[in-house]
Amino acid sequence: MNTRTMKTRTAPAMDRVNQPTLRAAVLLYVYFAAMAAGMVELSLAAGYLAGVGSSTAGMVAAGVATLAAGLAFLAWSLWGLHRNALVLARYALPALAVAAAAHVAVMAAGVTTQRSLDVSHFAALGLTLMALAGAGWLRRQHKTNDGGAHGQPRTGRLLAAAFGAAVVVASVATPGLAASMAGQHAVPHGEHGQAPTGENGQGSNPALDPGHHH
């Protein structure tokens, strides 16, 4: 038996080992991105429904649309993680594409009228495209010889992939959440439990009052 024959026979075996791990890692990546996109969508909805000009019909419509998208993304990601499979792919991929197009339209309008880029919409767009790309890849993949049904992902590699996916998703989602109205009104972690600030913007601690002298 020559070397070429041995490589040909061992290649399918390696695919059966590696493919389940790769598919499971991409699946986690997709749902992590969709979950983060849902949270950014909800923060955008809060800005539309409770921010300046929220009483106008356009803002209400935008708020309802982003609220529905955020809840849908969260529900889809949680259900998919529970099922450990790409669920409702026929509907999820077009929905992700529509959401991405909507974010592009909003950002283009903002750049045209206000000469500024909305960071929250930019983050939501990035997360949506990440989920869309991963879900599209999973849907296009052909089954391996055993269909991937009997293969088990390698725990160590899957944990490393899950950690990497979480870091990548968080690096995109965090600026988007911070730039939203909810993020701008959030209390910094270091200020929880501190005394309220006075009129001069400083705390009520007398030692911090520049007009207080012993």
Side-chain angles (χ1 to χ4, degrees):
M1 183 180 299
N2 55 28
T3 306
R4 181 178 298 179
T5 304
M6 293 178 62
K7 289 182 178 180
T8 303
R9 292 186 177 182
T10 55
M14 293 178 65
D15 289 341
R16 286 194 294 270
V17 173
N18 295 331
Q19 190 74 1
T21 303
L22 179 60
R23 290 177 63 88
V26 175
L27 191 68
L28 287 176
Y29 175 79
V30 168
Y31 287 134
F32 284 176
M35 189 179 300
M39 290 187 289
V40 177
E41 296 282 359
L42 293 180
S43 68
L44 287 169
Y48 283 127
L49 297 175
V52 179
S54 59
S55 58
T56 62
M59 296 291 284
V60 172
V64 171
T66 52
L67 177 63
L71 293 176
F73 286 171
L74 288 175
W76 180 63
S77 59
L78 291 174
W79 187 30
L81 289 172
H82 175 70
R83 295 287 301 274
N84 194 28
L86 186 64
V87 296
L88 298 176
R90 180 181 302 178
Y91 306 103
L93 269 68
L96 289 169
V98 170
H103 288 301
V104 170
V106 172
M107 288 190 300
V111 171
T112 302
T113 59
Q114 302 177 1
R115 303 295 180 182
S116 62
L117 180 65
D118 192 306
V119 177
S120 295
H121 279 284
F122 187 73
L125 173 63
L127 293 166
T128 303
L129 291 178
M130 289 160 61
L132 180 61
W137 182 86
L138 287 173
R139 194 178 184 186
R140 289 193 305 268
Q141 285 302 298
H142 297 290
K143 293 182 179 180
T144 55
N145 291 345
D146 61 355
H150 303 291
Q152 294 296 327
R154 294 185 175 182
T155 304
R157 292 183 179 180
L158 185 58
L159 287 176
F163 177 77
V167 170
V168 172
V169 169
S171 66
V172 179
T174 301
L177 291 171
S180 66
M181 188 193 74
Q184 293 175 1
H185 288 79
V187 179
H189 293 288
E191 296 182 8
H192 286 288
Q194 291 186 359
T197 57
E199 294 181 357
N200 58 357
Q202 296 183 349
S204 59
N205 187 347
L208 301 179
D209 188 354
H212 179 82
H213 302 282
H214 293 285

